[in-house]
Amino acid sequence: MRTVDWVDGRVRLIDQRALPWNFATVDYDDYRLLAQAVTEMVVRGAPAIGAAGAYGMALAARQAVGETARAMLPFIQQAAQTLIDARPTAVNLRWGVQAVLNTALTNADAPVAEFQQRLLNHAQQIADDDVRINQTMGAHGQTLIQDGITVLHHCNTGALAAVDWGTALGVVRSAHEAGKTFHVLLDETRPRLQGARLSAWELEQWGVSYDILPDTAAGHYMARGEINIVLVGADRVAANGDFANKIGTYQIAIMANYHGIPFYCVAPTSTYDAHAASGQDIPIEQRDPAEVTTPYGLELVPAHFKARNPAFDVTPHTLVTGYVTELGILTPPFTFLNS
Amino acid sequence: MRTVDWVDGRVRLIDQRALPWNFATVDYDDYRLLAQAVTEMVVRGAPAIGAAGAYGMALAARQAVGETARAMLPFIQQAAQTLIDARPTAVNLRWGVQAVLNTALTNADAPVAEFQQRLLNHAQQIADDDVRINQTMGAHGQTLIQDGITVLHHCNTGALAAVDWGTALGVVRSAHEAGKTFHVLLDETRPRLQGARLSAWELEQWGVSYDILPDTAAGHYMARGEINIVLVGADRVAANGDFANKIGTYQIAIMANYHGIPFYCVAPTSTYDAHAASGQDIPIEQRDPAEVTTPYGLELVPAHFKARNPAFDVTPHTLVTGYVTELGILTPPFTFLNS
C-alpha cells in the first residue's frame, strides 16, 4: 500500500511512529488534523509530505462552505498556509500545496462538485507522478551500484518517505530488483532513529542485506575502506546545489570527502527550490529536545537534562559528487530550474 | 567519593550503568567478578579501569592460596591475564595490572601478609596518583579555555572515567573552578550514551552550562561557528600520536579539521603505549550489537534487527592539534616514551 493515499474521501497515512512494531494506518477528514500529523511526523519524508499537502488541499475543498467555488477560496487559501506551515524545511510540502492551490485559483468558476473533483484529481496526479518519478530516479541511480559494494545511507528515504518506492533507498530497491547483490549500512539517525526503525524495516521486507550503525561509526568503516558510496535524500536543494537533509547528512558528506568516497544526493526535481540561491536561504526546523532525551517515550536520560534538536543541516554543493533526479544524474547548474 | 576505591578489603565501584537514575555502588571481593564488571562496563574510562585492574591484583593476592608469596605467583599471574583480557583497547588496564604484577614479582620473597600489603599499597598509590595527575593535567589544559567559548566533548571523561577529577572533562572542571564561564556541548555518544547519561550528570553536579547533542549534530554547529574547541579523552595513544578513543571521535576530528577548529586529546602518560608504533597496532573491541538495538534494555528497535557495534575508532595524529598530559601540552614525538 501507499504511504499517503486517498481512500473513501479521506487521506490515509501509514503511522510511521508505530513502525517497526506495528503496521497501522490513520485516516484524516480534516486538513487541520492532517497538518498536525505532518508536524508530529505521523508522515515524514519530503516527497511523502508533498503528497500529503496536496491531498490536504483536496480535503480543504470538501470542508469549505460556500455557494460557489470562488466563495470557498479564502478558506482554501487559509488551509494552504496552515499546511505549508506544518514543517518549514522540506520544499516539497509547499510545492504540493501550491500546485493544488493554483488549480483552485484557475478553476474558481467551475461548479462546486467539479471544482472539488479537479483539486482531488490534481492531488491524485501528484501522488501517482511521485511513484513514477521515483522509479525513474531509481533506474538512473542504480547504475551507481555495482555487485559486491557497500552503500552508506542516512535517515529513511524508502517507500515510507515517498508515496511509494523512495528516493535514495529507491535507488537501492531498483538495484536490488535488477538482481545486484550488495550491502547497505544504515545510520540509525538520532534522534528519531528513522534509519534504525524505518529503513531497517524496509530492507528486512525487501530482503536486502544491511546492518544498522550507530551515528558514531560511519567514519570508522570509511577509514577501513568498507564503504564505497554514500546515498542520501534531500528536503530542499538550493539552486547552487547546497541541500538540506536530515541532521547528520553534512557530517557524512565531510567524511566522504575526506576519504574520497562518492557522495550522491537523490531527490526528485520537486525538491529543488529555484527561490533558494544557496543553503543560507533554507530555514532549519528546530524540534522539541524531548525527541533527544526521551524519544518515543523511551527515557534515555532524565527529561530535565538539557538538549538541542535541530532537525536538518545543510550540505554545501562542494561536497556532492552528483545529484540523482528523474531527469538523470546531474551537477549544477541545474538548467531545469530556468525552464 | 572515588569511582574506584578500596573499602574494607574490597574494591568498591560506582555502578555507572545505573546513572543518571541511581547513584549506587558495588563491592567486589573476587578479581574474576571485578574483571567481569570491567567487561560489562560497571566501570569504564581508561584511567578508571587502570586503577580497577591494579586493585584487582591486590584482590588476587588475597585470594591466592600458598605457604609463600612465591607459591602464590602462578595464581596472581593468571589473575593478571584475566584482568588484562577484560577489555582490549584501553592500555591503562594492562598498565595498571602489570605495574602491580611487577611489584608481586619483585616481592616474592616477602612474608605473605607483607607481600599482600605491598601489592595493595601499589594499587592505592596508582589510584592516588591518578587523581593528582588528572588535576595537573586539568591545570595545563584549562589554559585552552577562554571565557565565553563553547567546548565540544565526546563520551564521558569526567570523574567517572578516572579515579576522580577526569581527563578531558577534568580540564573543563579545572577551567570552571578557575572561575571561567563557558558552554559545553556534549555528544550523546551512541550506543551507550555516556555523554548524555554520565557527562551531563557530572556537569549538572558541577554547575557547568551544557547541552546534549545527538551524535548527528556537531557538524551543524561547527558550520555555524558555534564550536571553538574540541576536547576528548583517549583509551590508547600510539607512539606517533594516533589514538584510540570512543567510537565517533574520529568523525569529530575530521569535522574539526574541515572547519579549522582546534582538536585536543587529553590523557595521562599512562594511556600512551610505546609498543604501538601507530594506530594500526591498537586492537579495536567489538561489542554486542544489542547495545545498539536495545541499550540498557530500552528497545529502540526489535532485537533481531542487525547492527554493528565497534566500541572504539582510531584518530590519526594528523588531525590532532595537541596532546594534554600531566607533563604539559605536547606534540609528537613524545620524548617521555623513551625515558
Side-chain angles (χ1 to χ4, degrees):
Chain A
M1 71 161 288
R2 289 179 166 188
T3 296
V4 183
D5 209 353
W6 182 270
V7 180
D8 297 336
R10 298 174 176 206
V11 178
R12 178 167 292 175
L13 302 179
I14 296 174
D15 186 350
Q16 305 198 25
R17 300 167 307 177
L19 288 171
W21 312 101
N22 299 303
F23 186 88
T25 62
V26 197
D27 289 352
Y28 297 88
D29 60 3
D30 184 330
Y31 80 86
R32 297 177 201 86
L33 296 177
L34 181 66
Q36 192 181 331
V38 169
T39 300
E40 293 173 359
M41 297 175 71
V42 176
V43 63
R44 28 65 54 202
I49 66 175
Y55 278 128
M57 292 296 287
L59 275 185
R62 297 189 165 212
Q63 294 178 257
V65 178
E67 303 254 319
T68 65
R70 189 167 295 282
M72 292 157 68
L73 279 184
F75 181 91
I76 290 170
Q77 285 171 312
Q78 174 57 50
Q81 197 57 53
T82 299
L83 287 161
I84 288 171
D85 290 345
R87 294 198 74 192
T89 300
V91 75
N92 305 62
L93 177 58
R94 190 180 76 192
W95 171 87
V97 169
Q98 285 191 331
V100 180
L101 178 60
N102 286 342
T103 293
L105 295 173
T106 55
N107 287 273
D109 294 322
V112 166
E114 189 174 327
F115 171 80
Q116 291 169 326
Q117 187 62 44
R118 286 185 189 170
L119 267 61
L120 175 58
N121 287 350
H122 195 172
Q124 197 79 53
Q125 183 202 321
I126 284 172
D128 291 345
D129 283 353
D130 185 67
V131 182
R132 188 180 47 74
I133 285 168
N134 282 347
Q135 288 171 333
T136 304
M137 200 158 56
H140 290 305
Q142 66 91 17
T143 59
L144 299 170
I145 297 182
Q146 289 83 43
D147 272 320
I149 73 166
T150 295
V151 177
L152 176 68
H153 177 266
H154 193 66
C155 196
N156 172 262
T157 64
L160 292 167
V163 176
D164 198 357
W165 207 263
T167 58
L169 275 189
V171 167
V172 163
R173 186 170 178 177
S174 294
H176 177 63
E177 300 213 348
K180 297 180 183 177
T181 57
F182 52 97
H183 191 72
V184 184
L185 292 175
L186 298 171
D187 271 329
E188 63 176 357
T189 317
R190 281 280 287 149
R192 291 182 65 95
L193 299 162
Q194 292 94 332
R197 294 168 77 100
L198 304 180
S199 295
W201 182 78
E202 292 201 58
L203 267 53
E204 288 266 343
Q205 310 272 317
W206 302 345
V208 173
S209 167
Y210 77 91
D211 285 294
I212 296 165
L213 293 185
D215 293 309
T216 46
H220 173 67
Y221 290 106
M222 287 184 180
R224 294 164 60 101
E226 295 184 26
I227 292 173
N228 304 100
I229 189 171
V230 180
L231 299 178
V232 298
D235 290 81
R236 189 184 308 210
V237 185
N240 72 342
D242 297 352
F243 72 101
N245 192 44
K246 182 53 55 197
I247 190 76
T249 303
Y250 173 52
Q251 303 189 168
I252 297 166
I254 295 169
M255 292 188 269
N257 179 258
Y258 181 80
H259 294 95
I261 297 168
F263 177 98
Y264 286 89
C265 167
V266 185
T269 56
S270 57
T271 305
Y272 287 67
D273 182 3
H275 302 291
S278 77
Q280 293 187 309
D281 301 314
I282 304 177
I284 299 298
E285 176 184 10
Q286 303 291 323
R287 294 184 63 85
D288 188 343
E291 292 184 340
V292 177
T293 54
T294 58
Y296 304 98
L298 296 164
E299 280 206 298
L300 297 183
V301 296
H304 71 274
F305 277 18
K306 290 176 274 297
R308 294 189 190 174
N309 187 15
F312 301 95
D313 57 26
V314 172
T315 298
H317 63 92
T318 50
L319 298 175
V320 183
T321 309
Y323 299 77
V324 181
T325 74
E326 72 273 27
L327 305 176
I329 302 177
L330 310 177
T331 52
F334 304 114
T335 51
F336 69 84
L337 287 177
N338 308 320
S339 63
Chain B
M1 71 162 286
R2 289 180 166 189
T3 297
V4 183
D5 209 352
W6 182 270
V7 180
D8 297 335
R10 297 174 176 205
V11 178
R12 178 167 293 175
L13 301 180
I14 296 174
D15 186 350
Q16 305 198 25
R17 301 167 307 177
L19 289 171
W21 312 102
N22 299 304
F23 185 88
T25 62
V26 197
D27 290 352
Y28 297 88
D29 60 4
D30 184 330
Y31 80 85
R32 296 178 202 86
L33 296 178
L34 181 66
Q36 193 181 330
V38 169
T39 300
E40 292 173 0
M41 298 176 70
V42 176
V43 63
R44 28 63 55 201
I49 66 175
Y55 277 129
M57 292 296 286
L59 276 185
R62 297 189 165 211
Q63 293 177 258
V65 178
E67 302 253 320
T68 65
R70 189 167 296 284
M72 293 156 68
L73 280 183
F75 181 91
I76 290 170
Q77 285 170 312
Q78 173 57 49
Q81 196 57 54
T82 298
L83 287 161
I84 288 170
D85 289 346
R87 294 198 73 193
T89 300
V91 75
N92 305 62
L93 177 59
R94 190 180 77 194
W95 171 87
V97 169
Q98 284 190 332
V100 180
L101 179 60
N102 287 341
T103 294
L105 295 173
T106 56
N107 287 273
D109 294 323
V112 165
E114 189 174 326
F115 172 80
Q116 291 168 327
Q117 187 61 44
R118 286 184 188 171
L119 267 61
L120 175 58
N121 288 349
H122 194 171
Q124 197 79 53
Q125 183 202 320
I126 285 172
D128 291 346
D129 284 352
D130 184 67
V131 182
R132 188 180 47 75
I133 285 168
N134 282 347
Q135 288 172 334
T136 304
M137 200 157 56
H140 289 304
Q142 66 90 16
T143 60
L144 299 170
I145 297 183
Q146 288 83 44
D147 272 320
I149 73 166
T150 295
V151 177
L152 177 68
H153 176 265
H154 193 66
C155 196
N156 172 263
T157 65
L160 293 167
V163 176
D164 198 355
W165 207 263
T167 58
L169 275 190
V171 167
V172 163
R173 186 170 178 178
S174 294
H176 177 63
E177 300 214 347
K180 297 179 184 177
T181 57
F182 53 95
H183 192 72
V184 184
L185 291 176
L186 299 171
D187 271 330
E188 63 176 356
T189 316
R190 281 278 288 150
R192 291 183 65 95
L193 298 161
Q194 292 95 333
R197 294 169 77 99
L198 304 180
S199 295
W201 182 78
E202 293 201 58
L203 267 53
E204 289 266 343
Q205 310 271 318
W206 302 346
V208 173
S209 167
Y210 77 91
D211 285 296
I212 296 165
L213 294 186
D215 293 309
T216 46
H220 174 67
Y221 290 106
M222 286 183 180
R224 295 164 59 100
E226 295 184 26
I227 292 173
N228 304 101
I229 189 172
V230 180
L231 299 178
V232 298
D235 290 81
R236 189 183 309 210
V237 186
N240 72 341
D242 296 353
F243 72 101
N245 192 43
K246 181 53 54 195
I247 189 76
T249 304
Y250 173 51
Q251 303 189 168
I252 297 166
I254 295 169
M255 292 188 268
N257 179 258
Y258 180 80
H259 293 95
I261 298 168
F263 177 99
Y264 286 89
C265 167
V266 186
T269 55
S270 57
T271 305
Y272 287 67
D273 183 2
H275 302 291
S278 77
Q280 293 188 310
D281 301 314
I282 303 176
I284 299 298
E285 177 183 11
Q286 302 292 323
R287 294 183 63 85
D288 189 343
E291 293 184 339
V292 177
T293 54
T294 57
Y296 305 98
L298 297 164
E299 280 206 299
L300 298 183
V301 297
H304 72 275
F305 277 18
K306 290 175 273 297
R308 294 189 190 173
N309 187 15
F312 302 94
D313 57 27
V314 172
T315 298
H317 63 92
T318 50
L319 298 176
V320 183
T321 309
Y323 299 77
V324 181
T325 74
E326 72 273 26
L327 304 176
I329 302 176
L330 311 176
T331 52
F334 305 113
T335 51
F336 69 85
L337 287 178
N338 308 319
S339 62

